[in-house]
Amino acid sequence: MKLQRKNMLRASALGALVVSGALVLTACGSDDNTKTDATASGKPSAAVGDIKCDGAKGKLLASGSSAQKNAIELWVKAYMAACPGVEVNYKSSSSGEGIVAFNQGTVGFAGSDSALKPEAVVESKKICTGGQGIDLPMVGGPIALGFNVAGVDKLTLDATTIANIFNDKIKKWDDEAIKKLNPGVTLPATPIQHFHRSEDSGTTENLGKYLKAAAPEAWTYEAAKKWPAPGGLGASGSSGVASQVKAVDGAIGYFELSYASAQSIKTVDLNTGAAAPVKASSETASKAISAAKISGTGDDLALKLDYATKAEGAYPIVLVTYEVVCDKGNKAETLPTVKSFLNYTASDAGQKVLSENGYAPIPAEINAKVREVIAKLA
């Protein structure tokens, strides 16, 4: 009996160690690419898998798009676990603020949900000595339309109806236009409260591109980072809009799918003209993004998206977040870390993180070009 009890205790202890080890691995990122080979000094001799430190050191500052915030946090966690002594600090604000910081030379790279405008490229030449700012597509994903209507669990809208909600022409949830798209759904007479981003946002611009392409008669505004339509209430960042939608009965707003998933917010299915309404998901966004074409020149890899697609199973309200860097003239002290970190985010393992967390990977053929450009950064 004593021997049996001793063996049971030993098995229990081993089980606890296994669970503990699993939790540690989960905290550092679940992919094998976060592991390192230790040297006698306790520092990794080389990063295993797709994280290669390659001379990275010190602190790297970056800022911009809140759309990629959740992806960046996962990447940074895995990267810093693999590269001790390196700190990557990404300030999630907005695409507009990220570009301003980049062109002021205060960050190593910026995140933006829309490609650099010509005037921003000109401005970047003051910082990128002998070069200019370029766009590297890194994160794809659906812009979800989150809603909170008591008693309604499933909702389908089309581009024209969405436009008329956000331009303040449809004011109640039992409007005939919404009823027509949702046969069999009991819609209340609750007033609609629509929320938008209060600051300049690439997410706003991409929603505007969709509405302009798919419902040009209803949405007469040009796509821009600043919210253009009357009415509604502004909130700061995608997290701010999501929080408002979560809290207010009758609310609707737009934000990346990861924010809806994190707060269990119901999302709109899109009637695109395809045979069936399309749900917002990594898979349906990937199908839309896979049709993207490179519109940039040289090493600039800005993409042209088809926001009016009617392809079966393609969700057209998508965005691509670009990491904006100098093609030449990067600061010598941060260049190794910029290249090392972006090499990881563009790697197969880095892109896999996206599909596992509500984002959409960049199409493989485009991503291969991204890696080629990163290797050339100087």
Side-chain angles (χ1 to χ4, degrees):
M1 288 294 291
K2 287 183 179 179
L3 180 60
Q4 184 179 10
R5 177 175 175 78
K6 188 179 294 183
N7 287 337
M8 288 174 65
L9 288 171
R10 183 180 299 165
S12 176
L14 286 170
L17 280 172
V18 170
V19 172
S20 174
L23 291 173
V24 170
L25 286 175
T26 301
C28 294
S30 59
D31 293 329
D32 286 342
N33 56 313
T34 61
K35 299 176 184 177
T36 58
D37 297 325
T39 63
S41 64
K43 295 181 179 180
S45 58
V48 174
D50 289 310
I51 300 182
K52 296 179 174 60
C53 303
D54 289 337
K57 60 183 179 180
K59 181 183 291 188
L60 172 62
L61 300 180
S63 70
S65 164
S66 65
Q68 67 172 357
K69 173 180 179 288
N70 296 329
I72 286 280
E73 286 180 351
L74 291 166
W75 281 334
V76 167
K77 193 173 190 177
Y79 181 79
M80 288 174 57
C83 301
V86 181
E87 180 182 347
V88 179
N89 188 331
Y90 181 85
K91 179 185 177 184
S92 171
S93 50
S94 69
S95 297
E97 291 175 41
I99 297 304
V100 168
F102 178 76
N103 280 338
Q104 289 176 342
T106 59
V107 294
F109 70 88
S112 177
D113 303 328
S114 56
L116 290 167
K117 297 289 190 293
E119 57 271 24
V121 174
V122 171
E123 186 73 15
S124 73
K125 292 180 179 180
K126 298 176 184 176
I127 296 299
C128 305
T129 308
Q132 64 181 46
I134 57 172
D135 303 287
L136 301 179
M138 197 67 71
V139 181
I143 299 172
L145 292 163
F147 69 94
N148 178 5
V149 184
V152 178
D153 293 322
K154 184 176 176 58
L155 184 68
T156 298
L157 299 175
D158 60 14
T160 298
T161 307
I162 295 166
N164 285 331
I165 287 172
F166 279 100
N167 66 20
D168 235 15
K169 291 183 179 178
I170 293 178
K171 296 181 180 292
K172 291 190 176 182
W173 282 109
D174 63 349
D175 187 276
E176 287 303 318
I178 302 178
K179 282 185 176 181
K180 187 177 179 180
L181 291 164
N182 295 274
V185 177
T186 302
L187 294 161
T190 307
I192 294 173
Q193 180 62 72
H194 51 93
F195 290 91
H196 56 264
R197 292 282 289 273
S198 58
E199 76 282 21
D200 286 3
S201 161
T203 311
T204 295
E205 185 171 7
N206 281 278
L207 176 65
K209 288 178 180 178
Y210 162 72
L211 293 174
K212 186 69 173 177
E217 294 182 1
W219 194 258
T220 58
Y221 311 99
E222 293 301 319
K225 288 186 174 71
K226 186 176 180 63
W227 181 253
L233 292 172
S236 178
S238 291
S239 59
V241 176
S243 294
Q244 290 296 326
V245 171
K246 178 77 171 179
V248 178
D249 182 28
I252 186 171
Y254 58 94
F255 33 80
E256 295 66 42
L257 182 60
S258 60
Y259 289 91
S261 301
Q263 297 195 44
S264 300
I265 297 171
K266 296 182 285 288
T267 61
V268 169
D269 295 344
L270 287 185
N271 181 335
T272 64
V278 185
K279 294 183 178 296
S281 72
S282 295
E283 293 74 22
T284 58
S286 289
K287 186 161 186 179
I289 293 172
S290 67
K293 307 295 183 186
I294 294 175
S295 60
T297 58
D299 287 337
D300 186 276
L301 300 180
L303 301 180
K304 182 175 178 60
L305 299 165
D306 181 5
Y307 293 95
T309 182
K310 296 180 181 179
E312 297 296 331
Y315 184 87
I317 315 181
V318 294
L319 59 74
V320 169
T321 299
Y322 300 93
E323 311 311 341
V324 177
V325 295
C326 295
D327 57 357
K328 297 175 184 174
N330 289 279
K331 293 180 180 178
E333 62 269 26
T334 56
L335 177 59
T337 309
V338 169
K339 294 177 72 171
S340 170
F341 180 68
L342 295 184
N343 267 322
Y344 163 55
T345 65
S347 70
D348 291 340
Q351 290 292 296
K352 184 182 177 186
V353 168
L354 299 180
S355 58
E356 293 173 345
N357 291 279
Y359 292 96
I362 300 301
E365 63 277 12
I366 295 174
N367 198 43
K369 293 180 180 179
V370 171
R371 292 196 287 260
E372 290 175 7
V373 173
I374 293 170
K376 296 191 296 182
L377 297 180

